[in-house]
Amino acid sequence: MKPINICLVGQKFMGRTHSNAFLKVGKFFDCPRDPVMHTICGRNLAELREFQSRWGWKHATTDWRAAVTDAQIHLVDIGTPNHLHKEMAIAALEAGKHVACEKPLAGTLADARDMLVAARRAKQSKTFVWYNYRRCPAVALAHQLARAGRLGRIYHVRAHYLQDWGGPDVPLLWRFQKKYAGSGAHGDLNAHIIDMARFITGDEITEVVGSIAETFIKERAIVDEGPRGGIAGGTRGAKRKGKGDVDDAVLFLARFKQGAIATFEATRLATGNQNKNGIEINGDKGSIRFNFEDMNYLDYYDATAERKVQGWTRIMATHAPDHPYAGNWWPDAHILGYEHGFINQTADMLNIIAGKKPVVPMPDFEDAYKTQQVLEAAIVSAEDRRAVKTAEME
Ligand code: SOE
């Protein structure tokens, strides 16, 4: 089997999820290419060496530019803070590599546009964006049901991504600084649910009708060392404070091209909700609802069933061959977790590189740019206090 030599940039939280996916994918999927964990890049050499030996990367380097342009590399995977996506992706595309990039595509629409232009120019390169929740079997099933017409005409989309890790005790990480992240909960969390809503409905958001953004916590402790493999980390020993200049929460209303209306809600301050990534969609033939904290289930309501037996069906989406990706994992109800979305995505990336079809559509730079336009429209809408068409956000 032909190898795919991978260079991953980033060795924190996403570095771990991606390394795990590259390590496992060949054990559970018949991959058309052999993923080789060739080079890991990061800034701190001591941490990098430890990471390299823990996960089994062949080489480790702090020189990302040399690594992503190295003739031996076929796929560059970017798992860094958002402000670095553009430079790294463009360098890799210009060197003829396939590129996988963490979400959102970039911190700003301008960076995302430059990445899109580079991707369009690099005709031989495939691009991928890690909207990993598309590949939870329950979400992929919702997409298939909607595509098969089981929801009928869609009236409402109600999406929320609620976390609570962003309180005042959390230090001034890159995620709270505009120059690194672009935005806060918005680009981090609304990005996922915009992608999920577009993916399931197969429709595009044409207008943000109104948006509200709030930064509740304006100052945070400055710490020397960020978290190692998680999100937040502590503030022990911190003496200085700095300004957090991104949103903690953004809510907005939107319209879809085919007429559905929608609400989106993202926050890091929803006390008690740790990773409540949820969506509900109502159509004239049926409805679905999904909550990542219960990720193996998809709730489905079939409004075409005989009235006396209509009701919510709670589907444990782990049954092969009916449920997407289920056949690659365990017997029914031997449930899956967060990491499986990344592994499923890796299998599909390898399929696409080999010219095969993914199980469900993959977000590439072209697709992720559409999500980025919606993110930008919501920012402009909140700033200008007006309705904003996504087409304005070129
Ligand atoms: C932090 O809010 C975070 O890790 C996001 O960055 C991820 O994209 C999301 O999947 C889980 O939460």
Side-chain angles (χ1 to χ4, degrees):
M1 214 195 314
K2 272 212 277 189
I4 287 285
N5 290 337
I6 302 165
C7 168
L8 167 62
V9 194
Q11 44 120 352
K12 300 284 176 149
F13 180 18
M14 286 305 115
R16 293 168 67 218
T17 60
H18 297 194
S19 296
N20 180 58
F22 297 136
L23 199 60
K24 301 269 178 69
V25 68
K27 312 277 188 250
F28 291 90
F29 289 80
D30 294 325
C31 299
R33 294 282 185 275
D34 179 21
V36 177
M37 296 171 73
H38 191 282
T39 303
I40 178 75
C41 302
R43 285 179 307 179
N44 178 327
L45 196 57
E47 268 184 38
L48 203 55
R49 292 265 175 247
E50 199 185 312
F51 191 92
Q52 176 191 9
S53 81
R54 179 182 292 264
W55 289 100
W57 287 93
K58 290 188 177 193
H59 308 277
T61 176
T62 53
D63 185 350
W64 70 261
R65 195 175 286 279
V68 308
T69 54
D70 182 333
Q72 293 186 62
I73 297 298
H74 304 112
L75 169 67
V76 170
D77 183 22
I78 303 169
T80 64
N82 304 338
H83 69 300
L84 296 171
H85 291 184
K86 170 178 149 176
E87 201 184 353
M88 292 176 176
I90 293 177
L93 287 166
E94 286 178 348
K97 315 299 182 191
H98 302 300
V99 177
C101 185
E102 253 309 320
K103 48 55 63 176
L105 182 56
T108 65
L109 186 67
D111 276 10
R113 193 182 306 111
D114 291 346
M115 293 167 75
L116 177 62
V117 169
R120 283 179 181 164
R121 270 199 209 118
K123 301 233 182 310
Q124 303 307 314
S125 303
K126 303 285 183 204
T127 59
F128 313 98
V129 181
W130 288 96
Y131 281 112
N132 52 297
Y133 296 111
R134 281 194 188 198
R135 281 167 174 72
C136 295
V139 176
L141 175 63
H143 162 88
Q144 291 178 340
L145 291 175
R147 303 279 47 76
R150 302 283 277 266
L151 306 186
R153 174 184 171 195
I154 293 172
Y155 297 128
H156 303 297
V157 174
R158 199 170 307 105
H160 54 262
Y161 200 149
L162 313 178
Q163 295 185 338
D164 68 353
W165 61 268
D169 294 339
V170 176
L172 189 61
L173 312 169
W174 68 268
R175 291 173 186 273
F176 296 110
Q177 299 177 68
K178 201 170 174 178
K179 62 182 175 189
Y180 303 128
S183 67
H186 190 51
D188 193 25
L189 304 179
N190 268 333
H192 274 304
I193 52 178
I194 294 166
D195 177 73
M196 196 144 52
R198 294 181 50 242
F199 170 63
I200 298 175
T201 61
D203 201 358
E204 294 299 343
I205 294 164
T206 51
E207 186 177 21
V208 171
V209 178
S211 176
I212 179 169
E214 191 59 52
T215 306
F216 293 99
I217 295 152
K218 299 191 166 55
E219 271 201 329
R220 293 178 182 272
I222 296 175
V223 289
D224 295 332
E225 225 192 301
R228 276 210 154 187
I231 309 176
T235 54
R236 209 170 318 133
K239 295 198 175 60
R240 288 180 304 134
K241 288 207 163 198
K243 193 168 168 257
D245 56 359
V246 297
D247 61 89
D248 293 314
V250 173
L251 321 184
F252 70 93
L253 300 176
R255 281 185 194 285
F256 278 84
K257 195 170 180 179
Q258 288 168 40
I261 57 173
T263 64
F264 292 86
E265 189 181 347
T267 173
R268 293 166 170 165
L269 295 172
T271 307
N273 297 285
Q274 281 145 15
N275 205 22
K276 194 169 183 183
N277 172 0
I279 192 160
E280 298 177 27
I281 300 181
N282 310 126
D284 63 354
K285 291 206 171 70
S287 292
I288 59 96
R289 62 185 181 210
F290 170 78
N291 168 13
F292 181 73
E293 289 182 346
D294 232 347
M295 63 160 280
N296 285 274
Y297 288 104
L298 180 72
D299 292 340
Y300 168 56
Y301 190 102
D302 181 1
T304 66
E306 205 185 345
R307 186 70 185 106
K308 67 180 171 200
V309 296
Q310 273 180 31
W312 283 96
T313 308
R314 194 153 168 70
I315 304 166
M316 165 68 80
T318 53
H319 182 67
D322 297 300
H323 298 141
Y325 305 102
N328 292 91
W329 296 105
W330 313 112
D332 291 4
H334 291 61
I335 57 181
L336 302 188
Y338 176 61
E339 71 274 27
H340 295 89
F342 291 89
I343 305 171
N344 295 343
Q345 169 146 348
T346 301
D348 276 338
M349 295 191 319
L350 295 171
N351 280 330
I352 291 172
I353 288 172
K356 298 190 169 182
K357 265 184 75 155
V359 175
V360 289
M362 172 74 67
D364 58 8
F365 283 15
E366 201 76 48
D367 185 277
Y369 185 71
K370 296 195 175 116
T371 293
Q372 199 85 35
Q373 285 177 292
V374 180
L375 287 170
E376 186 69 13
I379 291 172
V380 174
S381 169
E383 282 171 1
D384 296 0
R385 298 184 171 226
R386 67 174 175 98
V388 177
K389 302 257 192 242
T390 43
E392 287 178 47
M393 305 292 108
E394 289 298 330

